[in-house]
Amino acid sequence: MSVIILGIESSCDDTSAAVIRDQYLLSNIISNQEIHKSYGGVVPELASRAHQANIIPVVDVALKKAGITIKDINAVAYTRGPGLLGSLLVGASFAKGVALAQGVPVIAVNHLQGHVLSHFIKDEFNMPQPRFPFLCLLVSGGHTQIMLVKGPMEMEVVGQTIDDAAGEAFDKCAKVMGLPYPGGPVIDELAKTGNPAFLKLAKPSIPGLDFSFSGLKTSFLYTLRDKLAEDPQFISQNKPDICASLQNTIIEILLAKVEQAVKMYKIKEIAIAGGVSANSGLRKALQELGEKRGWQVYLPQKRYTTDNAAMIAIVGYFSLLSGKTSPLDEPPLARLPID
Ligand code: KG4
Ligand code: ZN
Protein backbone atom coordinates (compact mmCIF):
# COMPACT_ATOMS: atom_id res chain seq x y z
CA MET A 1 0.00 0.00 0.00
CA SER A 2 1.35 3.44 -0.82
CA VAL A 3 1.74 6.18 1.78
CA ILE A 4 0.84 9.82 1.14
CA ILE A 5 2.53 12.47 3.31
CA LEU A 6 1.67 16.15 3.50
CA GLY A 7 4.78 18.13 4.49
CA ILE A 8 4.69 21.60 6.04
CA GLU A 9 7.74 23.87 6.36
CA SER A 10 7.60 27.26 8.10
CA SER A 11 10.87 27.56 10.02
CA CYS A 12 11.98 30.92 8.63
CA ASP A 13 10.58 33.13 5.89
CA ASP A 14 9.31 30.59 3.35
CA THR A 15 5.87 29.03 3.70
CA SER A 16 5.91 25.68 1.95
CA ALA A 17 3.69 22.62 1.56
CA ALA A 18 4.49 19.44 -0.34
CA VAL A 19 2.88 16.10 -1.05
CA ILE A 20 4.83 12.90 -1.57
CA ARG A 21 3.53 9.45 -2.39
CA ASP A 22 6.05 6.99 -0.97
CA GLN A 23 9.35 8.58 -1.96
CA TYR A 24 7.95 10.28 -5.04
CA LEU A 25 7.23 14.01 -5.15
CA LEU A 26 3.73 15.00 -6.27
CA SER A 27 3.94 18.73 -5.45
CA ASN A 28 6.17 21.24 -3.65
CA ILE A 29 4.79 24.76 -3.31
CA ILE A 30 6.90 27.54 -1.81
CA SER A 31 5.71 31.04 -1.04
CA ASN A 32 8.61 33.44 -0.43
CA GLN A 33 8.03 36.44 1.79
CA GLU A 34 9.09 39.50 -0.15
CA ILE A 35 8.33 41.78 2.80
CA HIS A 36 11.76 41.17 4.42
CA LYS A 37 13.73 42.53 1.47
CA SER A 38 13.20 46.14 2.50
CA TYR A 39 14.55 45.37 6.01
CA GLY A 40 17.75 43.70 4.80
CA GLY A 41 16.98 40.52 6.78
CA VAL A 42 14.14 38.41 8.17
CA VAL A 43 11.90 40.21 10.70
CA PRO A 44 10.52 37.38 12.89
CA GLU A 45 7.23 39.06 13.78
CA LEU A 46 6.46 39.81 10.13
CA ALA A 47 7.47 36.28 9.13
CA SER A 48 4.96 34.63 11.46
CA ARG A 49 2.16 36.93 10.31
CA ALA A 50 2.94 36.16 6.67
CA HIS A 51 2.95 32.41 7.40
CA GLN A 52 -0.55 32.80 8.87
CA ALA A 53 -1.74 34.48 5.69
CA ASN A 54 0.02 32.04 3.34
CA ILE A 55 -0.36 28.63 4.88
CA ILE A 56 -3.92 27.77 3.81
CA PRO A 57 -3.54 28.86 0.16
CA VAL A 58 -0.12 27.16 -0.08
CA VAL A 59 -1.47 23.84 1.25
CA ASP A 60 -4.50 24.14 -0.98
CA VAL A 61 -2.37 24.56 -4.10
CA ALA A 62 -0.04 21.72 -3.03
CA LEU A 63 -3.00 19.32 -2.68
CA LYS A 64 -4.53 20.38 -6.01
CA LYS A 65 -1.22 20.11 -7.85
CA ALA A 66 -0.73 16.64 -6.37
CA GLY A 67 -4.19 15.66 -7.61
CA ILE A 68 -5.38 14.57 -4.18
CA THR A 69 -7.71 15.84 -1.45
CA ILE A 70 -6.93 16.26 2.22
CA LYS A 71 -8.79 12.99 2.88
CA ASP A 72 -6.13 11.04 0.99
CA ILE A 73 -3.20 11.86 3.29
CA ASN A 74 -1.84 9.24 5.70
CA ALA A 75 0.26 11.59 7.89
CA VAL A 76 1.29 15.23 8.26
CA ALA A 77 5.00 15.99 8.68
CA TYR A 78 5.94 19.44 9.97
CA THR A 79 9.14 21.25 10.90
CA ARG A 80 9.50 21.20 14.68
CA GLY A 81 12.78 23.16 14.70
CA PRO A 82 15.30 24.66 14.61
CA GLY A 83 13.98 28.01 13.41
CA LEU A 84 12.11 31.14 14.43
CA LEU A 85 9.64 30.17 17.13
CA GLY A 86 6.75 32.32 15.90
CA SER A 87 7.16 30.92 12.39
CA LEU A 88 7.44 27.33 13.60
CA LEU A 89 4.28 27.72 15.71
CA VAL A 90 2.20 28.54 12.63
CA GLY A 91 3.26 25.40 10.72
CA ALA A 92 3.13 23.14 13.79
CA SER A 93 -0.36 24.31 14.83
CA PHE A 94 -1.66 24.01 11.29
CA ALA A 95 -0.20 20.49 10.88
CA LYS A 96 -1.71 19.35 14.18
CA GLY A 97 -5.09 20.84 13.28
CA VAL A 98 -5.15 18.97 9.96
CA ALA A 99 -4.00 15.73 11.60
CA LEU A 100 -6.69 15.95 14.28
CA ALA A 101 -9.40 16.74 11.75
CA GLN A 102 -8.36 13.88 9.46
CA GLY A 103 -7.54 11.36 12.20
CA VAL A 104 -3.98 10.81 10.95
CA PRO A 105 -0.67 11.03 12.84
CA VAL A 106 1.73 13.99 12.89
CA ILE A 107 5.45 13.60 12.47
CA ALA A 108 7.71 16.27 13.99
CA VAL A 109 10.72 16.79 11.73
CA ASN A 110 14.13 18.30 12.37
CA HIS A 111 14.70 20.89 9.62
CA LEU A 112 18.38 19.94 9.29
CA GLN A 113 17.56 16.28 8.74
CA GLY A 114 15.21 17.53 6.02
CA HIS A 115 18.02 19.34 4.20
CA VAL A 116 20.18 16.19 4.32
CA LEU A 117 17.42 13.82 3.18
CA SER A 118 16.40 16.13 0.32
CA HIS A 119 18.78 13.91 -1.69
CA PHE A 120 16.26 11.08 -1.37
CA ILE A 121 13.28 12.85 -2.94
CA LYS A 122 12.41 10.93 -6.09
CA ASP A 123 11.09 12.86 -9.05
CA GLU A 124 11.12 12.90 -12.84
CA PHE A 125 14.87 13.67 -12.92
CA ASN A 126 15.86 10.37 -11.31
CA MET A 127 19.02 11.77 -9.70
CA PRO A 128 21.45 9.29 -8.11
CA GLN A 129 21.13 9.07 -4.34
CA PRO A 130 24.04 8.95 -1.88
CA ARG A 131 24.90 5.55 -0.49
CA PHE A 132 25.18 5.12 3.29
CA PRO A 133 27.34 6.01 5.06
CA PHE A 134 28.03 9.40 3.47
CA LEU A 135 29.29 12.78 4.58
CA CYS A 136 27.02 15.78 4.06
CA LEU A 137 28.15 19.39 4.15
CA LEU A 138 25.03 21.23 5.30
CA VAL A 139 25.39 24.93 4.54
CA SER A 140 22.50 27.33 5.05
CA GLY A 141 21.66 30.72 6.48
CA GLY A 142 21.46 29.35 9.99
CA HIS A 143 23.78 26.33 9.92
CA THR A 144 27.13 25.11 8.71
CA GLN A 145 27.84 21.53 9.65
CA ILE A 146 29.41 18.34 8.46
CA MET A 147 27.16 15.36 9.10
CA LEU A 148 28.07 11.71 9.16
CA VAL A 149 24.94 10.09 7.73
CA LYS A 150 24.67 6.38 8.49
CA GLY A 151 21.01 5.95 7.55
CA PRO A 152 17.89 8.06 6.93
CA MET A 153 17.20 8.20 10.66
CA GLU A 154 20.78 7.99 11.86
CA MET A 155 23.00 11.04 11.48
CA GLU A 156 25.59 12.75 13.61
CA VAL A 157 27.09 16.24 13.51
CA VAL A 158 30.87 15.80 13.33
CA GLY A 159 31.79 19.46 12.79
CA GLN A 160 29.98 22.78 12.93
CA THR A 161 30.45 26.51 12.96
CA ILE A 162 31.44 28.08 16.24
CA ASP A 163 29.97 31.45 15.22
CA ASP A 164 28.32 32.55 11.95
CA ALA A 165 26.93 30.20 9.30
CA ALA A 166 28.28 30.30 5.74
CA GLY A 167 24.98 31.74 4.44
CA GLU A 168 25.13 34.41 7.12
CA ALA A 169 28.65 35.32 5.95
CA PHE A 170 27.33 35.73 2.40
CA ASP A 171 24.34 37.77 3.58
CA LYS A 172 26.23 40.02 6.02
CA CYS A 173 29.05 40.75 3.57
CA ALA A 174 26.47 41.50 0.87
CA LYS A 175 24.89 44.01 3.25
CA VAL A 176 28.29 45.69 3.77
CA MET A 177 28.47 46.08 -0.01
CA GLY A 178 24.96 47.53 -0.17
CA LEU A 179 23.58 44.47 -2.01
CA PRO A 180 19.98 43.30 -1.41
CA TYR A 181 18.91 40.49 0.96
CA PRO A 182 19.43 37.56 0.70
CA GLY A 183 22.95 38.31 -0.48
CA GLY A 184 24.09 34.76 -1.29
CA PRO A 185 22.44 34.44 -4.72
CA VAL A 186 23.41 38.03 -5.63
CA ILE A 187 27.07 37.42 -4.77
CA ASP A 188 26.94 34.13 -6.67
CA GLU A 189 25.74 35.93 -9.81
CA LEU A 190 28.24 38.81 -9.57
CA ALA A 191 31.13 36.45 -8.79
CA LYS A 192 30.69 34.67 -12.12
CA THR A 193 32.58 37.41 -13.97
CA GLY A 194 34.98 38.37 -11.16
CA ASN A 195 38.59 37.61 -10.28
CA PRO A 196 38.76 35.41 -7.15
CA ALA A 197 42.36 36.52 -6.44
CA PHE A 198 41.44 40.24 -6.37
CA LEU A 199 41.27 40.53 -2.55
CA LYS A 200 43.17 38.50 0.00
CA LEU A 201 40.86 37.81 2.94
CA ALA A 202 41.65 36.18 6.29
CA LYS A 203 40.93 32.49 6.69
CA PRO A 204 40.38 31.00 10.16
CA SER A 205 42.50 28.29 11.73
CA ILE A 206 40.02 26.28 13.77
CA PRO A 207 40.99 22.79 14.95
CA GLY A 208 39.12 19.64 13.91
CA LEU A 209 36.08 19.79 11.68
CA ASP A 210 34.61 22.99 13.11
CA PHE A 211 34.19 26.19 11.11
CA SER A 212 34.34 29.91 11.83
CA PHE A 213 33.17 32.77 9.63
CA SER A 214 33.14 35.77 11.94
CA GLY A 215 36.85 36.52 11.30
CA LEU A 216 36.27 36.50 7.55
CA LYS A 217 33.37 38.92 7.96
CA THR A 218 35.57 41.30 9.99
CA SER A 219 38.44 40.96 7.53
CA PHE A 220 36.04 41.75 4.67
CA LEU A 221 34.67 44.79 6.49
CA TYR A 222 38.13 46.20 7.33
CA THR A 223 39.54 45.51 3.87
CA LEU A 224 36.65 47.38 2.24
CA ARG A 225 36.91 50.21 4.78
CA ASP A 226 40.63 50.69 3.96
CA LYS A 227 40.06 50.48 0.20
CA LEU A 228 37.16 52.94 0.38
CA ALA A 229 39.36 55.43 2.25
CA GLU A 230 41.70 55.42 -0.78
CA ASP A 231 38.95 55.29 -3.39
CA PRO A 232 35.30 56.09 -2.54
CA GLN A 233 34.18 54.23 -5.72
CA PHE A 234 36.02 51.04 -4.74
CA ILE A 235 32.91 48.91 -4.16
CA SER A 236 30.83 50.20 -7.05
CA GLN A 237 33.69 49.78 -9.54
CA ASN A 238 34.87 46.33 -8.41
CA LYS A 239 31.72 44.45 -7.43
CA PRO A 240 32.33 41.23 -9.43
CA ASP A 241 35.96 40.98 -8.24
CA ILE A 242 35.05 41.62 -4.60
CA CYS A 243 32.25 39.04 -4.75
CA ALA A 244 34.45 36.45 -6.46
CA SER A 245 37.16 36.91 -3.81
CA LEU A 246 34.70 36.58 -0.94
CA GLN A 247 32.94 33.57 -2.46
CA ASN A 248 36.22 31.86 -3.23
CA THR A 249 37.41 32.31 0.37
CA ILE A 250 34.15 30.86 1.75
CA ILE A 251 34.44 27.88 -0.62
CA GLU A 252 38.07 27.25 0.36
CA ILE A 253 37.15 27.29 4.06
CA LEU A 254 34.28 24.84 3.48
CA LEU A 255 36.14 22.42 1.23
CA ALA A 256 39.25 22.28 3.41
CA LYS A 257 37.07 20.82 6.18
CA VAL A 258 35.37 18.39 3.81
CA GLU A 259 38.82 17.11 2.80
CA GLN A 260 39.71 16.71 6.44
CA ALA A 261 36.44 14.85 7.16
CA VAL A 262 37.07 12.46 4.26
CA LYS A 263 40.51 11.67 5.70
CA MET A 264 39.12 11.16 9.22
CA TYR A 265 36.17 8.95 8.29
CA LYS A 266 37.54 7.36 5.11
CA ILE A 267 34.22 7.95 3.39
CA LYS A 268 34.21 9.07 -0.22
CA GLU A 269 30.46 9.56 -0.70
CA ILE A 270 30.04 13.33 -0.35
CA ALA A 271 26.81 15.32 -0.49
CA ILE A 272 25.98 18.99 0.06
CA ALA A 273 22.69 20.46 1.17
CA GLY A 274 21.08 23.71 2.37
CA GLY A 275 20.62 27.13 0.77
CA VAL A 276 24.32 27.74 0.15
CA SER A 277 24.59 24.43 -1.73
CA ALA A 278 22.84 26.31 -4.58
CA ASN A 279 26.05 28.33 -4.99
CA SER A 280 27.44 27.69 -8.46
CA GLY A 281 31.05 28.25 -7.38
CA LEU A 282 30.76 25.77 -4.50
CA ARG A 283 29.08 23.18 -6.72
CA LYS A 284 31.78 23.48 -9.38
CA ALA A 285 34.66 23.46 -6.88
CA LEU A 286 33.29 20.39 -5.06
CA GLN A 287 32.70 18.57 -8.31
CA GLU A 288 36.28 19.28 -9.44
CA LEU A 289 37.77 18.31 -6.09
CA GLY A 290 35.70 15.12 -6.10
CA GLU A 291 36.98 14.17 -9.56
CA LYS A 292 40.55 14.81 -8.44
CA ARG A 293 40.23 12.78 -5.25
CA GLY A 294 38.00 9.99 -6.57
CA TRP A 295 34.95 10.94 -4.48
CA GLN A 296 31.35 10.33 -5.47
CA VAL A 297 29.79 13.80 -5.23
CA TYR A 298 26.04 14.44 -4.90
CA LEU A 299 24.73 17.92 -5.68
CA PRO A 300 21.08 18.53 -4.83
CA GLN A 301 18.76 19.96 -7.45
CA LYS A 302 18.59 23.72 -6.93
CA ARG A 303 14.88 23.60 -6.04
CA TYR A 304 15.66 21.43 -3.01
CA THR A 305 18.53 23.54 -1.69
CA THR A 306 16.66 26.41 -0.02
CA ASP A 307 13.87 25.76 2.45
CA ASN A 308 11.04 23.62 1.08
CA ALA A 309 8.42 21.21 2.39
CA ALA A 310 9.39 18.31 0.10
CA MET A 311 12.42 17.72 2.32
CA ILE A 312 10.16 17.69 5.40
CA ALA A 313 7.74 15.26 3.76
CA ILE A 314 10.55 12.86 2.85
CA VAL A 315 11.72 12.76 6.47
CA GLY A 316 8.09 12.10 7.39
CA TYR A 317 8.09 9.18 4.97
CA PHE A 318 11.24 7.58 6.44
CA SER A 319 9.97 8.22 9.98
CA LEU A 320 6.68 6.51 9.26
CA LEU A 321 8.53 3.56 7.69
CA SER A 322 10.51 3.20 10.90
CA GLY A 323 7.29 3.40 12.95
CA LYS A 324 7.96 6.87 14.38
CA THR A 325 5.11 9.35 14.77
CA SER A 326 4.88 12.23 17.25
CA PRO A 327 2.60 13.27 20.09
CA LEU A 328 0.30 16.26 19.52
CA ASP A 329 1.49 18.03 22.66
CA GLU A 330 5.12 18.29 21.52
CA PRO A 331 5.95 22.01 21.13
CA PRO A 332 8.14 23.43 18.36
CA LEU A 333 11.65 24.38 19.47
CA ALA A 334 13.80 27.25 18.20
CA ARG A 335 16.86 25.16 19.01
CA LEU A 336 16.66 21.49 18.16
CA PRO A 337 19.86 19.45 18.00
CA ILE A 338 19.93 16.68 15.43
CA ASP A 339 21.41 13.99 17.61
O1 KG4 B 1 18.48 26.69 3.65
P1 KG4 B 1 18.02 28.09 3.57
O2 KG4 B 1 16.91 28.43 2.61
O3 KG4 B 1 17.52 28.61 4.96
C1 KG4 B 1 18.10 28.25 6.17
O4 KG4 B 1 17.77 27.15 6.67
O5 KG4 B 1 18.94 29.05 6.63
O6 KG4 B 1 19.31 28.98 3.26
C2 KG4 B 1 19.25 30.36 3.05
C3 KG4 B 1 20.67 30.85 2.84
C4 KG4 B 1 20.79 32.36 2.78
O7 KG4 B 1 21.86 32.76 3.62
C5 KG4 B 1 21.13 32.64 1.31
O8 KG4 B 1 21.92 33.79 1.11
C6 KG4 B 1 21.89 31.39 0.96
O9 KG4 B 1 21.19 30.35 1.61
N1 KG4 B 1 21.92 31.14 -0.49
C7 KG4 B 1 23.04 31.20 -1.23
C8 KG4 B 1 22.66 30.95 -2.57
N2 KG4 B 1 21.31 30.74 -2.60
C9 KG4 B 1 20.88 30.86 -1.30
N3 KG4 B 1 24.31 31.45 -0.87
C10 KG4 B 1 25.24 31.46 -1.85
N4 KG4 B 1 24.95 31.25 -3.17
C11 KG4 B 1 23.69 30.99 -3.56
N5 KG4 B 1 23.42 30.76 -4.85
ZN1 ZN C 1 17.05 25.59 5.86
Side-chain angles (χ1 to χ4, degrees):
M1 197 194 88
S2 68
V3 173
I4 296 182
I5 312 268
L6 170 66
I8 307 281
E9 155 63 30
S10 70
S11 64
C12 191
D13 60 338
D14 296 312
T15 317
S16 180
V19 178
I20 61 166
R21 179 185 285 128
D22 299 329
Q23 248 175 288
Y24 204 87
L25 184 74
L26 299 182
S27 66
N28 186 29
I29 306 299
I30 304 169
S31 168
N32 306 116
Q33 302 179 359
E34 294 298 315
I35 191 158
H36 306 288
K37 281 215 160 90
S38 53
Y39 294 90
V42 178
V43 184
E45 173 73 21
L46 297 179
S48 19
R49 289 189 209 184
H51 283 305
Q52 279 285 2
N54 295 343
I55 191 124
I56 288 177
V58 164
V59 171
D60 201 37
V61 176
L63 293 172
K64 285 202 176 100
K65 184 140 188 259
I68 63 159
T69 73
I70 197 79
K71 292 190 171 37
D72 297 319
I73 60 171
N74 300 105
V76 189
Y78 72 94
T79 306
R80 185 180 182 206
L84 300 171
L85 195 59
S87 291
L88 291 166
L89 277 164
V90 178
S93 307
F94 182 88
K96 291 173 184 180
V98 170
L100 263 178
Q102 298 306 316
V104 297
V106 282
I107 301 163
V109 171
N110 186 305
H111 180 84
L112 304 177
Q113 192 182 359
H115 275 301
V116 175
L117 293 191
S118 62
H119 283 276
F120 296 89
I121 300 165
K122 287 191 179 164
D123 59 23
E124 68 273 29
F125 296 104
N126 226 353
M127 300 288 280
Q129 298 174 0
R131 286 169 302 183
F132 300 108
F134 66 92
L135 293 168
C136 185
L137 173 69
L138 169 52
V139 266
S140 73
H143 295 88
T144 296
Q145 307 179 324
I146 297 180
M147 310 263 227
L148 170 58
V149 189
K150 296 178 187 161
M153 306 305 288
E154 204 186 336
M155 49 190 83
E156 185 188 327
V157 178
V158 294
Q160 59 190 321
T161 181
I162 57 167
D163 42 55
D164 291 347
E168 224 174 332
F170 270 109
D171 296 341
K172 286 181 178 169
C173 291
K175 200 169 181 178
V176 171
M177 292 178 69
L179 298 175
Y181 176 85
V186 185
I187 290 180
D188 188 356
E189 206 44 47
L190 284 163
K192 283 179 183 159
T193 56
N195 169 15
F198 181 68
L199 290 180
K200 187 140 183 55
L201 299 165
K203 279 197 268 181
S205 58
I206 306 292
L209 298 179
D210 287 342
F211 300 89
S212 166
F213 287 99
S214 70
L216 169 63
K217 190 184 59 191
T218 312
S219 158
F220 186 74
L221 187 70
Y222 288 173
T223 304
L224 289 193
R225 186 195 59 187
D226 294 349
K227 298 280 186 191
L228 281 172
E230 292 163 18
D231 170 12
Q233 308 302 320
F234 182 77
I235 293 180
S236 59
Q237 287 180 351
N238 299 290
K239 269 186 192 159
D241 292 339
I242 299 171
C243 289
S245 303
L246 172 67
Q247 180 170 297
N248 188 53
T249 311
I250 294 175
I251 293 169
E252 283 180 359
I253 295 171
L254 292 171
L255 293 189
K257 295 291 178 168
V258 173
E259 286 227 60
Q260 216 170 316
V262 169
K263 281 197 190 118
M264 274 177 80
Y265 290 97
K266 300 186 176 40
I267 291 173
K268 293 186 170 188
E269 294 273 308
I270 313 295
I272 50 172
V276 180
S277 71
N279 185 268
S280 55
L282 174 62
R283 294 168 80 94
K284 187 161 171 276
L286 178 61
Q287 195 101 58
E288 285 171 3
L289 187 62
E291 274 163 27
K292 213 155 87 185
R293 300 275 190 267
W295 305 344
Q296 200 63 48
V297 167
Y298 300 89
L299 305 175
Q301 287 179 53
K302 295 244 175 104
R303 60 179 171 154
Y304 302 137
T305 56
T306 44
D307 293 346
N308 66 86
M311 69 187 201
I312 303 305
I314 198 78
V315 179
Y317 170 73
F318 285 115
S319 300
L320 207 60
L321 272 194
S322 69
K324 181 187 165 273
T325 60
S326 309
L328 283 169
D329 59 358
E330 206 169 55
L333 295 172
R335 287 171 179 275
L336 182 61
I338 200 140
D339 44 357

